[in-house]
Amino acid sequence: MRLLTAAVTTVALTLGAQVATAAPIEIKFSHVVAENTPKGQMAMRFKELVEERLDGKVTVSVFPNSQLFGDNKVLEAMLLGDVQMAAPSLSKFQKYTKQLQVFDLPFLFKDMEAVNKFQQSATGQELLTSLEKRGLVGLGYLHNGMKQLSAGEPMRTPEDAAGKKFRIMTSDVLQAQFEAVDAVPLKKPFSEVFTLLQTQAIDGQENTWSNIYSKKFHEVQPYITESNHGLLDYMVVTSAEFWKGLDADVRTEVKKALDEAIAYGNDISERKAMEDRQAIIDSGRSEVIQITDAERAKWVEAMKPVWKQFEDEIGADLIEAAAASNN
Ligand code: LMR
């Protein structure tokens, strides 16, 4: 009997020790941009909040600058359990759902207020679930901002872009957008853009002020047209398997920390865009071109047919709901 008691005690002690030293859950957060961007800052804030509040139960490792996975691999890696969180641009989900293509339509949102209004609407929130069938969970939208058009030559009207090669994200809508002005779009990962521009393997690209500045694209692109022609925002995602595997109380705390980090990122995104725009101007490396209303109207006229082209894939109702957020 005494032997049995000793054995039970040993088992109990071993189990107890295991519980006490249970390894923390690690969230690897992988992204492709620099730390000094809305996404980079949001990821760092998320790490701080989680580690402060979850008392060692959960740790967050942030991998910026495509260190862990490039933009075209991260979602596959997430489904394999090699990374737990990421915030790819909304243009990079095409393989998983067609609906998010709505965000890529050129000249759809007049400003970030309209974007926000649509994302927070019932329709926008429902889109967070559009990846569920593919094993991914949308946890929230994060802003970067409006895209500008950079190139080796000034881009004032669509004719200027004709025949020129532009890097795009992996999106058929963006491909159609450049084809609509007779340009040549090339789908390339973010990590390759600087070298492609520097070696003049391509003529230009479209991106936000913070991405252009933090990746020094302005140092190898003498002209940036302030076109605000499209959106570059993100969806923060995780895998359903990882998310459902968390204890309910841990999941609630992680989600709360994430919501706060996203609010922080969204809060700084517009200011960051304006600061980085000014820093580019101050650098003297690139001329920021303002186009006239008449010139802008030409881009709109040339690119707007893309909406119709993708109406069946995206859904006319969805396009209409997004456009209505401008009112
Ligand atoms: C790009 O590939 O240009 C962007 O999606 C990078 C990013 O994540 O902002």
Side-chain angles (χ1 to χ4, degrees):
M1 188 62 196
R2 211 184 304 149
L3 250 185
L4 187 63
T5 313
V8 168
T9 311
T10 311
V11 170
L13 279 175
T14 314
L15 277 177
Q18 269 174 6
V19 169
T21 58
I25 297 161
E26 190 191 18
I27 297 180
K28 289 192 186 129
F29 192 127
S30 171
H31 68 84
V32 299
V33 293
E35 284 182 324
N36 193 18
T37 56
K39 183 158 61 180
Q41 295 290 300
M42 170 268 170
M44 295 307 288
R45 177 58 65 102
F46 173 62
K47 173 183 170 67
E48 267 166 39
L49 293 174
V50 165
E51 294 184 353
E52 187 181 295
R53 295 181 188 166
L54 276 123
D55 200 24
K57 267 193 268 180
V58 181
T59 62
V60 178
S61 312
V62 181
F63 300 89
N65 297 310
S66 311
Q67 266 167 23
L68 192 59
F69 293 105
D71 42 13
N72 297 327
K73 287 276 175 285
V74 72
L75 295 175
E76 285 164 37
M78 188 172 281
L79 291 171
L80 292 171
D82 293 336
V83 59
Q84 288 68 41
M85 271 195 201
S89 128
L90 293 163
S91 316
K92 293 177 184 170
F93 289 98
Q94 180 180 294
K95 249 172 78 183
Y96 298 85
T97 173
K98 298 287 179 211
Q99 286 183 303
L100 294 177
Q101 294 185 116
V102 68
F103 289 103
D104 275 344
L105 295 175
F107 298 103
L108 174 59
F109 299 106
K110 72 170 196 268
D111 53 25
M112 292 309 289
E113 205 182 310
V115 171
N116 211 37
K117 194 167 150 193
F118 177 61
Q119 289 176 349
Q120 299 314 318
S121 70
T123 310
Q125 289 295 300
E126 209 176 299
L127 288 179
L128 291 173
T129 65
S130 62
L131 304 159
E132 262 171 17
K133 275 197 224 96
R134 308 297 304 267
L136 296 169
V137 181
L139 296 171
Y141 294 103
L142 174 68
H143 297 322
N144 186 326
M146 291 293 178
K147 289 179 291 188
Q148 320 302 335
L149 193 61
S150 77
E153 288 171 35
M155 296 286 127
R156 293 184 188 279
T157 63
E159 291 79 52
D160 297 329
K164 300 271 188 303
K165 293 191 191 113
F166 288 89
R167 177 269 173 172
I168 53 165
M169 296 180 270
T170 46
S171 152
D172 289 350
V173 174
L174 299 180
Q175 183 176 335
Q177 169 195 277
F178 277 102
E179 284 170 353
V181 296
D182 296 324
V184 184
L186 296 162
K187 291 177 179 168
K188 295 285 179 190
F190 187 59
S191 57
E192 292 177 20
V193 182
F194 180 84
T195 306
L196 289 167
L197 294 172
Q198 189 187 36
T199 57
Q200 297 182 4
I202 56 172
D203 300 291
Q205 61 89 44
E206 51 167 16
N207 231 305
T208 58
W209 292 116
S210 67
N211 280 352
I212 293 172
Y213 183 63
S214 60
K215 289 296 178 189
K216 302 188 175 9
F217 297 164
H218 64 293
E219 294 187 3
V220 288
Q221 291 273 267
Y223 299 98
I224 305 174
T225 300
E226 188 156 30
S227 51
N228 291 311
H229 63 280
L231 173 72
L232 200 166
D233 262 16
Y234 308 110
M235 189 183 284
V236 184
V237 288
T238 186
S239 80
E241 194 180 335
F242 172 74
W243 197 238
K244 287 181 185 146
L246 293 175
D247 286 347
D249 55 335
V250 170
R251 191 165 52 231
T252 305
E253 278 304 316
V254 171
K255 181 66 168 57
K256 239 169 80 184
L258 184 68
D259 288 345
E260 284 179 42
I262 287 177
Y264 171 74
N266 286 346
D267 211 45
I268 62 171
S269 61
E270 210 139 344
R271 181 162 40 86
K272 192 94 199 64
M274 287 305 101
E275 277 171 16
D276 291 349
R277 175 185 176 278
Q278 193 55 46
I280 288 169
I281 294 171
D282 294 346
S283 77
R285 301 292 294 266
S286 190
E287 184 187 332
V288 174
I289 299 173
Q290 305 292 336
I291 47 174
T292 64
D293 288 350
E295 285 168 338
R296 195 162 199 274
K298 288 190 185 165
W299 290 98
V300 176
E301 190 191 331
M303 290 179 165
K304 195 96 181 264
V306 171
W307 293 27
K308 196 87 203 141
Q309 215 176 315
F310 284 85
E311 196 179 272
D312 288 347
E313 274 185 34
I314 298 171
D317 290 358
L318 194 51
I319 297 176
E320 207 174 297
S325 64
N326 290 311
N327 304 326

